[in-house]
Amino acid sequence: MSKRVYSAPGDTIESVHPVTVHRYRGLTRLNHWVTAGALIVLLLSGLALFHPALFFLTGLFGGGQTTRWLHPIVGVVLFLSFFLLFLQMWRLNLPRREDVQWAMQTKDVILGHEEKLPELGKYNAGQKTVFWAMTGLILVLIVSGVMIWQEYFPHLVSIPVRRLAVLAHALAAVLIILVFILHVYAAIWTRGTIRAMTRGTVTGGWAWRHHRKWLRELAGRRDAGPAE
């Protein structure tokens, strides 16, 4: 049986006085922010097209015609950018036994009783839920989006199917907005998390408190010396 891996390429302990841990490579961070930027543009432009009361938001993009053209193009950018993130992160987001226990101790998570929680790899159950929710919803959005993209695919599906695709697209959009808000809130609420996606590093104390199995693996790799 292969050994479980809790870290990604590039994850290292950079220094020990004080302990600083490299959590994300520059490419991964750039990829993340392109995805986040595309999602924000889609959120605003999508709301502008969703209801007349929000049409004023098209002013952010140069008017209604530009917004209508831009929205699906940025949707493709989101899909491709997130796909690259998916390739980098999917293995570490697979469910583990400790995730079930972590999820059952939500009260301890909220109260900050980290000492009562199980040791975790690079991601906890909440982060994994956001990851897989994003994966599923982006797939629904891209598939339904292509089905209603009449400029390039006017005869791809019948009108009744297109109407269902519009409904699916709208529902998935609402859900992904909620997941995005949850993701941002969790990043702000857990102090030290945003640093990981801006500087690429976290403190040793942060890693020990929130992702101890991940830190242990990095420490073991460091003690073992460079691989042959």
Side-chain angles (χ1 to χ4, degrees):
M1 181 180 293
S2 60
K3 181 181 178 181
R4 284 187 174 179
V5 176
Y6 295 96
S7 60
D11 294 357
T12 57
I13 295 178
E14 290 192 351
S15 64
V16 294
H17 300 291
V19 177
T20 302
V21 187
H22 193 92
R23 187 165 172 84
Y24 291 113
R25 297 176 293 178
L27 178 61
T28 303
R29 300 200 306 274
L30 176 62
N31 196 172
H32 170 271
W33 290 115
V34 169
T35 302
L39 191 55
I40 291 171
V41 171
L42 288 168
L43 185 157
L44 294 172
S45 58
L47 289 175
L49 299 171
F50 180 73
H51 194 277
L54 300 173
F55 188 75
F56 70 92
L57 292 173
T58 60
L60 297 172
F61 309 103
Q65 291 299 320
T66 304
T67 303
R68 185 171 181 176
W69 167 84
L70 182 67
H71 184 81
I73 296 296
V74 178
V76 174
V77 172
L78 173 68
F79 173 75
L80 295 176
S81 182
F82 186 82
F83 180 69
L84 293 177
L85 274 182
F86 180 87
L87 293 178
Q88 298 174 68
M89 298 180 173
W90 74 271
R91 289 183 184 276
L92 296 179
N93 277 281
L94 292 174
R96 305 287 190 188
R97 182 178 301 174
E98 58 265 24
D99 295 327
V100 177
Q101 183 180 347
W102 186 93
M104 293 176 65
Q105 294 180 239
T106 305
K107 182 178 179 180
D108 291 324
V109 174
I110 295 174
L111 295 177
H113 296 161
E114 301 285 341
E115 70 281 356
K116 297 181 179 180
L117 298 172
E119 294 188 0
L120 300 174
K122 189 168 185 177
Y123 302 110
N124 60 44
Q127 292 168 312
K128 292 178 180 182
T129 299
V130 168
F131 177 83
W132 290 110
M134 283 284 188
T135 300
L137 291 170
I138 288 174
L139 281 175
V140 173
L141 287 169
I142 192 66
V143 172
S144 60
V146 168
M147 294 169 70
I148 62 179
W149 198 355
Q150 296 188 59
E151 182 178 1
Y152 294 107
F153 308 101
H155 307 298
L156 182 62
V157 295
S158 64
I159 291 177
V161 172
R162 185 176 297 124
R163 288 171 177 166
L164 291 175
V166 169
L167 177 61
H169 197 79
L171 292 175
V174 171
L175 290 175
I176 204 168
I177 289 172
L178 295 176
V179 172
F180 179 69
I181 292 173
L182 176 63
H183 176 60
V184 172
Y185 176 78
I188 295 173
W189 181 60
T190 306
R191 293 177 58 186
T193 300
I194 294 179
R195 166 179 167 164
M197 272 300 174
T198 54
R199 305 185 200 177
T201 62
V202 294
T203 65
W206 185 95
W208 178 259
R209 182 175 184 182
H210 299 295
H211 301 279
R212 198 166 299 182
K213 277 187 178 179
W214 174 64
L215 181 62
R216 287 186 190 279
E217 181 177 298
L218 299 183
R221 185 191 302 166
R222 180 187 177 92
D223 294 341
E228 296 295 334

